[in-house]
Structure formats: structure tokens, C-alpha cells
């Protein structure tokens, strides 16, 4: 989506485990105040910096016109999940090494923010997934992710049998080290490492990708976003887990059923005006152009 409203109120979130992020947050707050902005700090940053008035992330999202996230993709994923109920644009400043979601580099931060504060910015809507775990006919837990839901064997040496259906129609029973169900945004995360396809994040789709399948004909499947995926776990041992965006984990038991569907929530990201998605792929994946041949 092109264009945006003028920004008046800013919320700042940062990875407090990185000293660099904390220093940037303090400098950024001072700069934003000089621009006439009202600035709110995440309560974790405020606590470390010794500043009063820190707010939890839901309160930040309710008050602010824009969230600025300082860190890497992990920090962005946590922020996206925590404010998923609020349709607020999020801009990521990359302080990490990779950064598909934080596509504004630190040396571009202030020029980029000058344009954004004037309303000169574009946004992208990214689909999310809802997951619930059913145990004994009851909902054990519910979560929302931006990247992926990953079933894995933990410390087990045995493979897992995962009876998988789509819209209540049986697909197959994957016998594998695990199973990744991801969004297009998550297609460049764990799924890519496991041989999955790269799907443009502007698309709405669900990717099913087995991890080291016992049957070599098992391959990734791309489904319409309107479909619901259910996975029943069959394992002789305890120790199977489901990981959510690689940051939260739930222990599973044999017989548990995972239900994954498109979420009603979406994440709104502010796009970099300095590079498109193809350039991001080239730079992050080290793709290059062959030198011109002499003719």
C-alpha cells in the first residue's frame, strides 16, 4: 500500500540484550523529540535506561501511530505477535546480521525516518497463522505466528509420524524429523533451510514442508490461504515439541492434534524505499550477476 498518514506519536521497541540497540534507542528518542514527536518507550527499554513512563507493548500499539523496532528479525517477530490486534505500521531497523523483516539499515535510519514522519512511506500487509493444540478433545493452547509453526522431535532419535489433513481431507502421514507450516514471510526462515520454496511475502499462502522426510517423494506443498491444516502426532516417546516463530515452545504428546489456519490478524510493515524484495533476496542470499562475457 502506497502512502501513509503523517506521524505524531512513536513507540520504540528494542532488543534489550544488545547494548547497541539500547544506545540507539536513547539517541533515537532524543532525535524524535527534536522533530516534535511524542515518544513512548517499551517498558523493558525504559527499565534498563532508567527512564520513567515505560509502557507494555499493547499500550504502545494503542497509543502510537508507528512502532520502530531496533534489532533483528527475532525482535520483529516478538513485536509483531505482541501487537497483532492493532493495525499499526511497524518499521524495522536492522541491527543484526541478516534481517529479512528489518530491511532498513542503521546508516539509513534517520533519512528514512524523515520521509516516514512526513507520511512518505509504503506499507505491506503480511498474513499470520493461528495455531491451536487439541488434547483429549479440548484446546490446550492457542498461538499466533508471523513466520512458522514447526513440529520437531526435540532430543528424540526416532522420527515422528504426523498424520496430516487439509480441510478435513487426508493428505498423507509424514514420517520425518519434523514438519514446518509457514507463511510466505516465513518461507525465507527455517523452511528455506529445509529446502522449501521462496514465496513472495505479498502472497497469501500456507507452505507445508517436511524436515528430512523418510519418504523421498514427500515434497513441500503450497496451499491456498483459505485452507486449514490439521496434524495429528503419533510418537512412541515423549519429547516432541511445536516451536512458534522459533521463540516459544509447547511440549506435545502422542495423539495431540494441531490445527493451523490463516489468522484474522495481519502484520503491517513499513517498506524500505531504498530496495525492493528482489534486492533484499540478492543481498541476503549472496546472489550475484555473472560478469559480462567478451564477444
Amino acid at each position: 500500500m502506497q502512502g501513509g498518514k503523517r506521524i505524531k506519536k512513536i513507540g520504540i521497541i528494542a532488543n534489550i540484550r544488545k547494548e547497541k540497540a539500547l544506545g540507539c534507542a536513547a539517541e533515537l528518542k532524543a532525535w524524535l523529540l527534536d522533530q516534535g514527536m511524542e515518544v513512548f518507550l517499551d517498558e523493558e527499554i525504559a527499565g534498563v535506561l532508567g527512564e520513567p513512563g515505560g509502557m507494555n507493548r499493547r499500550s504502545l500499539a494503542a497509543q502510537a501511530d508507528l512502532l520502530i523496532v531496533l534489532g533483528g528479525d527475532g525482535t520483529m517477530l516478538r513485536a509483531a505477535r505482541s501487537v497483532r490486534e492493532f493495525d499499526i505500521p511497524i518499521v524495522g531497523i536492522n541491527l543484526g546480521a541478516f534481517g529479512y523483516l528489518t530491511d532498513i539499515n542503521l546508516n539509513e535510519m534517520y533519512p528514512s525516518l524523515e520521509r516516514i514522519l512526513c507520511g512518505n512511506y509504503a506499507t505491506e500487509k503480511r498474513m499470520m497463522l493461528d495455531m491451536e493444540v487439541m488434547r483429549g478433545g479440548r484446546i490446550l493452547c492457542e498461538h499466533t505466528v508471523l513466520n512458522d509453526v514447526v513440529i520437531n522431535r526435540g532430543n528424540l532419535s526416532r522420527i515422528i509420524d504426523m498424520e496430516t489433513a487439509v480441510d478435513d481431507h487426508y493428505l498423507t502421514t509424514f514420517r520425518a524429523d519434523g514438519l514446518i507450516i509457514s507463511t510466505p514471510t516465513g518461507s525465507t526462515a527455517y523452511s528455506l533451510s529445509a529446502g522449501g520454496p521462496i514465496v513472495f511475502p505479498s502472497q497469501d499462502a500456507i507452505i507445508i514442508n517436511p524436515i528430512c522426510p523418510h519418504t523421498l517423494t514427500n515434497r513441500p506443498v503450497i496451499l491456498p490461504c483459505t485452507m486449514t491444516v490439521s496434524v495429528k502426532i503419533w510418537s512412541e516417546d515423549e519429547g516432541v515439541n511445536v516451536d512458534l516463530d522459533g521463540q516459544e515452545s509447547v511440549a506435545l504428546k502422542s495423539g495431540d492434534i494441531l490445527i493451523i489456519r490463516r489468522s484474522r490478524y495481519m502484520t503491517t510493515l513499513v517498506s524500505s524505499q531504498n530496495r525492493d524484495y528482489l534486492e533484499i533476496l540478492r543481498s541476503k542470499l549472496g546472489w550475484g550477476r555473472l560478469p559480462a562475457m567478451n564477444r
Side-chain angles (χ1 to χ4, degrees):
M1 182 176 68
Q2 296 292 326
K5 66 179 182 179
R6 290 183 66 90
I7 305 298
K8 300 292 186 183
K9 301 177 180 180
I10 308 284
I12 300 177
I13 295 172
N15 184 349
I16 62 170
R17 294 188 299 274
K18 292 188 176 183
E19 187 175 343
K20 183 178 182 180
L22 293 170
C24 287
E27 293 177 8
L28 178 59
K29 179 184 177 182
W31 182 83
L32 289 169
L33 291 173
D34 286 343
Q35 309 304 307
M37 298 293 117
E38 191 173 352
V39 183
F40 310 104
L41 292 181
D42 173 49
E43 59 188 356
E44 291 183 346
I45 309 173
V48 175
L49 296 178
E51 297 202 20
M55 305 172 72
N56 64 53
R57 294 184 178 183
R58 288 176 55 84
S59 298
L60 276 183
Q63 292 283 342
D65 302 317
L66 175 78
L67 287 182
I68 300 176
V69 177
L70 301 164
D73 281 356
T75 312
M76 282 287 285
L77 290 170
R78 288 188 184 90
R81 292 198 307 276
S82 64
V83 302
R84 62 186 180 274
E85 298 171 51
F86 301 87
D87 185 18
I88 182 170
I90 305 173
V91 56
I93 308 299
N94 184 22
L95 303 182
F98 223 56
Y100 283 100
L101 297 174
T102 51
D103 59 6
I104 295 178
N105 295 324
L106 184 58
N107 61 357
E108 304 166 337
M109 179 171 69
Y110 292 117
S112 296
L113 288 177
E114 285 178 348
R115 292 192 295 268
I116 291 170
L117 296 182
C118 293
N120 181 18
Y121 63 92
T123 59
E124 297 177 359
K125 294 284 188 180
R126 303 285 184 92
M127 69 169 280
M128 305 180 81
L129 293 174
D130 287 337
M131 183 220 65
E132 59 187 32
V133 178
M134 304 291 297
R135 179 175 294 171
R138 296 185 177 183
I139 298 176
L140 177 67
C141 61
E142 298 175 282
H143 294 271
T144 301
V145 299
L146 176 57
N147 261 3
D148 49 35
V149 173
V150 178
I151 302 165
N152 66 76
R153 63 183 186 176
N155 295 324
L156 295 178
S157 59
R158 303 186 184 202
I159 62 175
I160 314 166
D161 290 338
M162 295 162 286
E163 183 181 321
T164 304
V166 177
D167 280 353
D168 295 325
H169 296 284
Y170 177 67
L171 175 65
T172 189
T173 298
F174 292 104
R175 304 196 73 225
D177 286 355
L179 190 65
I180 305 167
I181 300 98
S182 81
T183 65
T185 298
S187 71
T188 50
Y190 192 3
S191 181
L192 181 62
S193 299
I198 296 173
V199 180
F200 261 61
S202 57
Q203 302 301 303
D204 290 337
I206 299 173
I207 304 156
I208 301 177
N209 189 10
I211 304 169
C212 299
H214 182 71
T215 302
L216 295 180
T217 54
N218 286 156
R219 288 292 179 261
V221 180
I222 301 176
L223 302 173
C225 66
T226 54
M227 290 184 163
T228 298
V229 179
S230 62
V231 183
K232 189 168 187 177
I233 306 299
W234 296 111
S235 175
E236 297 180 8
D237 304 288
E238 302 293 329
V240 179
N241 300 316
V242 58
D243 295 334
L244 309 158
D245 278 345
Q247 297 177 334
E248 299 179 55
S249 186
V250 177
L252 300 176
K253 293 183 177 181
S254 188
D256 286 352
I257 300 173
L258 284 71
I259 300 174
I260 302 104
R261 60 174 64 90
R262 179 181 183 170
S263 177
R264 67 184 183 275
Y265 303 121
M266 298 187 78
T267 296
T268 302
L269 298 182
V270 176
S271 308
S272 170
Q273 294 187 339
N274 297 323
R275 61 186 63 84
D276 58 21
Y277 187 67
L278 292 176
E279 184 176 346
I280 292 171
L281 285 179
R282 288 197 303 273
S283 63
K284 303 304 181 184
L285 299 177
W287 294 349
R289 182 178 287 132
L290 289 174
M293 302 292 292
N294 293 324
R295 297 185 183 275

